[in-house]
Amino acid sequence: MIELIRTYQLNLMLLLCGACMMMAILLLITKFLDEKRKWSLFLMELVAFFLLWFDRQAYIYAGDTSPKGYIMVRISNCLVFVLTSGVVFSFNIYLKNLLVNEKGLKINSKCLEGVGIASVFGMFMAVLSAYTNIYYYFDENNIYHRGKGFLLAYIIPVVCPIIQYLVMRKYKKYFSKLIYISIVLYLFVPIICGIIQIFTYGISLVNMAMVSVSISLYIFTYLDINNTVEHAHNIEIQNIEGETKRMQRLFDQTAKAFVSAVEKKDDFAKGNAVKVAEYAKKITARCGLDDEHCDNAYYAALLHDVGLIGVPDSVIKNEGDPNKWDQEAFREKPIIGREIFSNITEYPFLSIGAYYSHERYDGTGYPEGLSGDKIPEIARIIAVADAYVTMTTKKRYREERPDFVVREAFVTGAGKSFDPEFAELMVKIIDEESKDKNLDDLSIIEKELSCKQYRSSISVGIPVEGNIIKIRFKCKLDTDAPNGFSAPSIILFDSYDRRVHVDKKAIKVYNYQEFAEIWFDYNYINTHARRVLETKLDNTGSFDKLGEDEYEIIAAKYEDHVKVIMRSNDYEKQDIIALVDGSTSAYIGITGENCEIKDITIEKTDEAIDENYIPRISEEISYIDHIESDIKNVQISQTRSAATDGIELKNKLRLCFHSMSLPVANFIWHCPYVVIYSSDNGQVGGNNYHEYALIKINGESDISKEYADNDFIMKKKDDFPGWEEWKEKNKKGIDCEVVIERKGSSILTTTVNIGIYIENTTTIKDSPSKVYVALTGDRCAITDIRVR
């Protein structure tokens, strides 16, 4: 290595000189450094340049006995020794400027003062040596030789940097990591090279090292400035983002305060605006739009109904028939909203949302009667979100509607009242949120009931299912009841919202059916059950003994029969109720007359029952008692509660069948479904079950992307009669045909039913040995199934 440097030493010197001068020039045009620090760095680069330049000249003219060579050798060597101390002097200036001017420190370092004096003395000694031969001398051939005092020349370049390092070490915490590293290199690399040079005569290691570290000092300084600028930039960005967030919070709080003030005009509207905004944001996000669009949709939806502030209170709080309300007053609401936001030009979407969100996709809305894509997109999104919140919120003239009723409104209203794309997204949101809801949550059941008059207080329905459920409570009877009667009772019913209803509109909306009312004595009323069979039990101790005011209900359901055991301190009885059919749910509502009920507890056991637990008192109602074709008929009483045997799909098959929605069917998705899947035994739900597609003949799909990708298309043909007629035809019975064709991992399914065209392409991700097709559904009977 030493010999390689010796061979190319002059070239290395020239290269380093060029680099050093380039750094010096760059420093002259640099604007991001403190002025004093910049000029001290410039001085260091300049000293380093001339140090190495004259050192190179000394090597070039060594041995040259001409007058020019004589002069150049002596001048060059003298300046090399002078500039060696000059490097220490210039760095001392740089270090003081760095500490005092840039870091703002107040230092009074005698060490740095001493280093400055020593370096000046070193430069003086270098000049003196040129006349006294202390450090070096020249022979008759003009060749440089070390003098007897040569090592004295290394005292200042070695000792002074160590002193400078000790000073810098004291203030280390004020330096960045990059600057600290650059200074350590600047101080110690020349020292190490100086020690090596003592033993390697003829190589200018120290001077080349000094120039190299001078260059590195500039580079590290530049990198440090970059980090400082970047850090400052990040802080500035954070400050801007923080300010933006503060402004957004202020806008959000102001908007919500404004909305809250508007909502005070209608007691039933409180909190609705925020819900509408949240659903509008969800729909927008599902469209794949960015955060800015989502925020715009949120605030436009939040403020879309502010025009309500201009609607008279007498109109808003009219408790009569909503069809007889002053519609003209309500039609002024979007116009007022637009006027309120007309001057907010920075956020034009607020005015757009307020003005156009009451338009309808088919052109039947207001204020301008726009249709389709002529309605601004943000308004079409708000219309869907607003409709959902409106339907699921209690109003002055009606109760809130359950999700599946609202779901039907969006499915049937797609392309009519609502943009079909956004209505479909809302349906998916409803489906996902419904999965997270416990529709049979027992925690909402009241713990106490005060039953003064007959049915004055009725609990939320307690679900009766295939596992035995036990209900206990205490009841205090009123011995001084006005009519002399005091007793608890239960109501067995079915309802979308698990509530007992008497209002005709509510009965229709929530599909309320009451089967029987049963007292804790030997009386009952058969309201809508096919049959009720009541039996007195012998009270032989098969159950725990109850206290004087304690009551217990033990209930379970199997298919279309419910068994209820009712117990008190002095009697036990059993009631078996035959429901309308197996498609209905059953709930128990606790009530009474002239009594106080408290401490209601419910235990849902793991004890499942079968047909042996409940004796059948009425024949099963069957809608599939027909001649069977290629596959057994199937009756599906609940969502996918039954399915046909699987049919292996090899190339192409045609399924023809007759379908009839059951009498209890109320929704358009109460129809047959086609399921494509694989399993070990070829049955739906079998071992290693992988479902690839689920297609409902009403034009919906419930498709998981876990095992397959699906491209689903639904179109309404010209002969589509409308959803109400579509449902009626399904109840009367229709003939269906489904064509399924497989080519490798791709499966094409097509069908047309009462004007609903469906086409679905399934691409299977795994490689099943066999793929099967089966028919299932919801509240429907499928008969006469033929496979072609």
Side-chain angles (χ1 to χ4, degrees), residues 37 44 91 94-95 98-99 161 164-165 168-169 175-190 213 216-217 220-221:
R37 185 182 176 191
M44 289 172 63
F91 179 73
Y94 172 78
L95 191 58
L98 185 64
L99 290 170
Q164 289 171 328
Y165 172 74
M168 186 196 67
R169 180 79 181 175
F175 296 98
S176 69
K177 187 177 181 181
L178 285 172
I179 294 299
Y180 183 77
I181 292 172
S182 68
I183 291 175
V184 170
L185 290 174
Y186 188 88
L187 293 173
F188 288 103
V189 169
V213 294
S216 72
L217 189 63
F220 276 96
T221 300

Short mmCIF file of all heavy atoms in Angstrom, two decimals, residues 37 44 91 94-95 98-99 161 164-165 168-169 175-190 213 216-217 220-221:
data_model
loop_
_atom_site.label_atom_id
_atom_site.label_comp_id
_atom_site.label_asym_id
_atom_site.label_seq_id
_atom_site.Cartn_x
_atom_site.Cartn_y
_atom_site.Cartn_z
N ARG A 37 -18.71 31.07 9.93
CA ARG A 37 -18.37 29.65 9.78
C ARG A 37 -17.99 29.36 8.33
O ARG A 37 -17.06 28.59 8.06
CB ARG A 37 -19.56 28.79 10.20
CG ARG A 37 -19.27 27.29 10.19
CD ARG A 37 -20.49 26.51 10.58
NE ARG A 37 -20.29 25.09 10.49
CZ ARG A 37 -21.25 24.17 10.58
NH1 ARG A 37 -22.50 24.59 10.77
NH2 ARG A 37 -20.98 22.90 10.49
N MET A 44 -9.82 27.27 5.73
CA MET A 44 -9.26 25.93 5.94
C MET A 44 -9.02 25.22 4.60
O MET A 44 -7.98 24.59 4.39
CB MET A 44 -10.22 25.09 6.80
CG MET A 44 -10.27 25.55 8.26
SD MET A 44 -11.57 24.70 9.19
CE MET A 44 -10.98 23.02 9.09
N PHE A 91 -8.18 25.91 11.67
CA PHE A 91 -9.20 25.07 12.32
C PHE A 91 -9.59 25.64 13.67
O PHE A 91 -10.74 25.54 14.10
CB PHE A 91 -8.68 23.63 12.50
CG PHE A 91 -9.67 22.73 13.19
CD1 PHE A 91 -10.79 22.28 12.52
CD2 PHE A 91 -9.49 22.36 14.51
CE1 PHE A 91 -11.72 21.47 13.16
CE2 PHE A 91 -10.42 21.55 15.16
CZ PHE A 91 -11.53 21.10 14.48
N TYR A 94 -12.17 28.13 13.01
CA TYR A 94 -13.43 27.44 12.67
C TYR A 94 -14.14 26.93 13.93
O TYR A 94 -15.35 27.10 14.09
CB TYR A 94 -13.12 26.27 11.73
CG TYR A 94 -14.31 25.37 11.47
CD1 TYR A 94 -15.31 25.73 10.58
CD2 TYR A 94 -14.43 24.14 12.13
CE1 TYR A 94 -16.40 24.91 10.34
CE2 TYR A 94 -15.52 23.31 11.89
CZ TYR A 94 -16.50 23.70 11.00
OH TYR A 94 -17.58 22.88 10.77
N LEU A 95 -13.36 26.33 14.83
CA LEU A 95 -13.96 25.75 16.04
C LEU A 95 -14.54 26.85 16.92
O LEU A 95 -15.65 26.70 17.47
CB LEU A 95 -12.89 24.95 16.81
CG LEU A 95 -13.38 24.06 17.95
CD1 LEU A 95 -14.39 23.05 17.45
CD2 LEU A 95 -12.21 23.34 18.62
N LEU A 98 -17.72 28.11 15.32
CA LEU A 98 -18.79 27.11 15.44
C LEU A 98 -19.43 27.16 16.81
O LEU A 98 -20.66 27.07 16.95
CB LEU A 98 -18.23 25.72 15.14
CG LEU A 98 -19.23 24.56 15.11
CD1 LEU A 98 -20.23 24.75 13.98
CD2 LEU A 98 -18.51 23.23 14.93
N LEU A 99 -18.61 27.31 17.84
CA LEU A 99 -19.12 27.29 19.21
C LEU A 99 -19.78 28.61 19.59
O LEU A 99 -20.85 28.64 20.19
CB LEU A 99 -17.99 26.98 20.19
CG LEU A 99 -17.44 25.54 20.16
CD1 LEU A 99 -16.18 25.43 20.99
CD2 LEU A 99 -18.49 24.56 20.66
N PRO A 161 -4.04 19.69 18.09
CA PRO A 161 -5.33 19.03 17.81
C PRO A 161 -5.88 18.26 18.98
O PRO A 161 -7.10 18.17 19.16
CB PRO A 161 -4.98 18.11 16.63
CG PRO A 161 -3.85 18.79 15.95
CD PRO A 161 -3.04 19.38 17.05
N GLN A 164 -7.49 20.77 21.12
CA GLN A 164 -8.75 21.18 20.48
C GLN A 164 -9.84 20.13 20.67
O GLN A 164 -11.02 20.45 20.89
CB GLN A 164 -8.52 21.44 18.99
CG GLN A 164 -7.70 22.69 18.71
CD GLN A 164 -7.30 22.81 17.26
OE1 GLN A 164 -7.08 21.80 16.59
NE2 GLN A 164 -7.15 24.04 16.78
N TYR A 165 -9.45 18.87 20.60
CA TYR A 165 -10.43 17.80 20.80
C TYR A 165 -10.99 17.81 22.21
O TYR A 165 -12.19 17.61 22.42
CB TYR A 165 -9.79 16.45 20.51
CG TYR A 165 -10.69 15.28 20.87
CD1 TYR A 165 -11.79 14.96 20.10
CD2 TYR A 165 -10.46 14.54 22.03
CE1 TYR A 165 -12.65 13.92 20.44
CE2 TYR A 165 -11.30 13.49 22.38
CZ TYR A 165 -12.40 13.19 21.59
OH TYR A 165 -13.22 12.16 21.94
N MET A 168 -13.52 20.47 22.40
CA MET A 168 -14.73 20.06 21.68
C MET A 168 -15.50 18.99 22.46
O MET A 168 -16.73 18.97 22.48
CB MET A 168 -14.35 19.51 20.30
CG MET A 168 -15.56 19.19 19.42
SD MET A 168 -15.12 18.15 18.03
CE MET A 168 -14.69 16.64 18.87
N ARG A 169 -14.76 18.10 23.11
CA ARG A 169 -15.38 17.04 23.90
C ARG A 169 -16.26 17.61 25.01
O ARG A 169 -17.32 17.08 25.34
CB ARG A 169 -14.28 16.15 24.49
CG ARG A 169 -14.77 15.00 25.33
CD ARG A 169 -15.23 13.86 24.47
NE ARG A 169 -15.72 12.75 25.27
CZ ARG A 169 -16.27 11.66 24.77
NH1 ARG A 169 -16.38 11.54 23.46
NH2 ARG A 169 -16.68 10.69 25.55
N PHE A 175 -23.06 19.47 19.40
CA PHE A 175 -22.74 19.11 18.02
C PHE A 175 -23.64 17.98 17.53
O PHE A 175 -23.99 17.08 18.31
CB PHE A 175 -21.28 18.65 17.90
CG PHE A 175 -20.28 19.72 18.21
CD1 PHE A 175 -19.68 19.80 19.46
CD2 PHE A 175 -19.94 20.65 17.26
CE1 PHE A 175 -18.75 20.78 19.74
CE2 PHE A 175 -19.00 21.64 17.53
CZ PHE A 175 -18.42 21.72 18.79
N SER A 176 -23.98 18.04 16.26
CA SER A 176 -24.68 16.89 15.67
C SER A 176 -23.71 15.74 15.49
O SER A 176 -22.48 15.92 15.55
CB SER A 176 -25.28 17.28 14.31
OG SER A 176 -24.25 17.50 13.37
N LYS A 177 -24.25 14.57 15.27
CA LYS A 177 -23.41 13.38 15.11
C LYS A 177 -22.47 13.52 13.92
O LYS A 177 -21.28 13.16 13.99
CB LYS A 177 -24.32 12.15 14.94
CG LYS A 177 -23.56 10.83 14.94
CD LYS A 177 -24.53 9.66 14.85
CE LYS A 177 -23.77 8.33 14.87
NZ LYS A 177 -24.70 7.18 14.77
N LEU A 178 -22.99 14.05 12.82
CA LEU A 178 -22.16 14.19 11.61
C LEU A 178 -21.01 15.16 11.84
O LEU A 178 -19.87 14.89 11.45
CB LEU A 178 -23.03 14.66 10.45
CG LEU A 178 -23.96 13.61 9.82
CD1 LEU A 178 -24.90 14.28 8.82
CD2 LEU A 178 -23.16 12.51 9.15
N ILE A 179 -21.29 16.31 12.45
CA ILE A 179 -20.24 17.31 12.71
C ILE A 179 -19.21 16.75 13.68
O ILE A 179 -18.00 16.95 13.51
CB ILE A 179 -20.86 18.61 13.25
CG1 ILE A 179 -21.73 19.27 12.17
CG2 ILE A 179 -19.80 19.57 13.73
CD1 ILE A 179 -20.97 19.66 10.93
N TYR A 180 -19.66 16.04 14.69
CA TYR A 180 -18.74 15.47 15.67
C TYR A 180 -17.79 14.48 15.01
O TYR A 180 -16.57 14.51 15.23
CB TYR A 180 -19.53 14.79 16.78
CG TYR A 180 -18.65 14.22 17.88
CD1 TYR A 180 -18.08 15.06 18.84
CD2 TYR A 180 -18.39 12.86 17.96
CE1 TYR A 180 -17.27 14.55 19.84
CE2 TYR A 180 -17.59 12.34 18.96
CZ TYR A 180 -17.02 13.19 19.91
OH TYR A 180 -16.22 12.69 20.88
N ILE A 181 -18.35 13.63 14.15
CA ILE A 181 -17.51 12.65 13.44
C ILE A 181 -16.51 13.36 12.53
O ILE A 181 -15.31 12.99 12.49
CB ILE A 181 -18.39 11.69 12.62
CG1 ILE A 181 -19.21 10.79 13.55
CG2 ILE A 181 -17.54 10.82 11.68
CD1 ILE A 181 -20.24 9.95 12.84
N SER A 182 -16.96 14.39 11.80
CA SER A 182 -16.06 15.09 10.87
C SER A 182 -14.91 15.76 11.62
O SER A 182 -13.77 15.77 11.14
CB SER A 182 -16.85 16.12 10.07
OG SER A 182 -17.30 17.18 10.90
N ILE A 183 -15.17 16.34 12.79
CA ILE A 183 -14.12 17.00 13.56
C ILE A 183 -13.13 15.99 14.12
O ILE A 183 -11.91 16.22 14.11
CB ILE A 183 -14.76 17.86 14.68
CG1 ILE A 183 -15.49 19.05 14.06
CG2 ILE A 183 -13.70 18.35 15.66
CD1 ILE A 183 -16.25 19.89 15.06
N VAL A 184 -13.65 14.86 14.62
CA VAL A 184 -12.76 13.82 15.13
C VAL A 184 -11.84 13.32 14.01
O VAL A 184 -10.62 13.13 14.21
CB VAL A 184 -13.58 12.65 15.72
CG1 VAL A 184 -12.69 11.46 16.02
CG2 VAL A 184 -14.27 13.11 17.00
N LEU A 185 -12.39 13.11 12.83
CA LEU A 185 -11.56 12.69 11.69
C LEU A 185 -10.52 13.76 11.36
O LEU A 185 -9.35 13.45 11.09
CB LEU A 185 -12.45 12.42 10.47
CG LEU A 185 -13.35 11.19 10.53
CD1 LEU A 185 -14.26 11.15 9.30
CD2 LEU A 185 -12.52 9.91 10.60
N TYR A 186 -10.94 15.01 11.37
CA TYR A 186 -10.05 16.11 11.02
C TYR A 186 -8.88 16.20 11.99
O TYR A 186 -7.75 16.53 11.60
CB TYR A 186 -10.85 17.42 11.03
CG TYR A 186 -10.06 18.59 10.48
CD1 TYR A 186 -10.06 18.87 9.12
CD2 TYR A 186 -9.32 19.40 11.33
CE1 TYR A 186 -9.33 19.94 8.61
CE2 TYR A 186 -8.58 20.47 10.83
CZ TYR A 186 -8.59 20.74 9.46
OH TYR A 186 -7.87 21.80 8.97
N LEU A 187 -9.14 15.91 13.26
CA LEU A 187 -8.10 16.05 14.28
C LEU A 187 -7.16 14.86 14.35
O LEU A 187 -5.93 15.02 14.49
CB LEU A 187 -8.76 16.26 15.65
CG LEU A 187 -9.51 17.59 15.84
CD1 LEU A 187 -10.24 17.59 17.17
CD2 LEU A 187 -8.54 18.77 15.76
N PHE A 188 -7.69 13.66 14.21
CA PHE A 188 -6.88 12.50 14.53
C PHE A 188 -6.31 11.76 13.32
O PHE A 188 -5.29 11.09 13.44
CB PHE A 188 -7.69 11.52 15.39
CG PHE A 188 -7.91 12.03 16.79
CD1 PHE A 188 -9.12 12.57 17.17
CD2 PHE A 188 -6.88 12.00 17.72
CE1 PHE A 188 -9.32 13.06 18.44
CE2 PHE A 188 -7.07 12.48 19.00
CZ PHE A 188 -8.29 13.02 19.37
N VAL A 189 -6.96 11.88 12.18
CA VAL A 189 -6.39 11.21 11.00
C VAL A 189 -5.00 11.75 10.66
O VAL A 189 -4.06 10.98 10.43
CB VAL A 189 -7.35 11.32 9.79
CG1 VAL A 189 -6.66 10.88 8.51
CG2 VAL A 189 -8.58 10.47 10.02
N PRO A 190 -4.80 13.11 10.63
CA PRO A 190 -3.45 13.62 10.38
C PRO A 190 -2.44 13.19 11.43
O PRO A 190 -1.26 12.97 11.13
CB PRO A 190 -3.63 15.14 10.37
CG PRO A 190 -5.07 15.34 10.00
CD PRO A 190 -5.77 14.22 10.67
N VAL A 213 -9.13 15.30 4.94
CA VAL A 213 -10.10 15.56 6.02
C VAL A 213 -10.70 16.95 5.89
O VAL A 213 -11.82 17.21 6.37
CB VAL A 213 -9.47 15.34 7.41
CG1 VAL A 213 -9.12 13.89 7.63
CG2 VAL A 213 -8.24 16.24 7.61
N SER A 216 -13.46 16.29 3.62
CA SER A 216 -14.52 15.56 4.34
C SER A 216 -15.28 16.48 5.29
O SER A 216 -16.48 16.31 5.52
CB SER A 216 -13.93 14.37 5.11
OG SER A 216 -13.19 14.81 6.23
N LEU A 217 -14.56 17.47 5.85
CA LEU A 217 -15.22 18.41 6.76
C LEU A 217 -16.33 19.18 6.03
O LEU A 217 -17.42 19.38 6.57
CB LEU A 217 -14.19 19.37 7.34
CG LEU A 217 -14.68 20.29 8.47
CD1 LEU A 217 -15.09 19.48 9.68
CD2 LEU A 217 -13.58 21.28 8.85
N PHE A 220 -19.25 16.62 5.31
CA PHE A 220 -20.04 16.34 6.51
C PHE A 220 -20.86 17.56 6.92
O PHE A 220 -21.98 17.44 7.40
CB PHE A 220 -19.14 15.89 7.66
CG PHE A 220 -18.80 14.42 7.62
CD1 PHE A 220 -17.62 13.98 7.06
CD2 PHE A 220 -19.66 13.48 8.15
CE1 PHE A 220 -17.30 12.63 7.03
CE2 PHE A 220 -19.38 12.13 8.13
CZ PHE A 220 -18.19 11.70 7.56
N THR A 221 -20.28 18.74 6.73
CA THR A 221 -21.02 19.96 7.04
C THR A 221 -22.24 20.09 6.14
O THR A 221 -23.34 20.44 6.59
CB THR A 221 -20.12 21.19 6.87
OG1 THR A 221 -18.99 21.07 7.76
CG2 THR A 221 -20.88 22.48 7.18
#
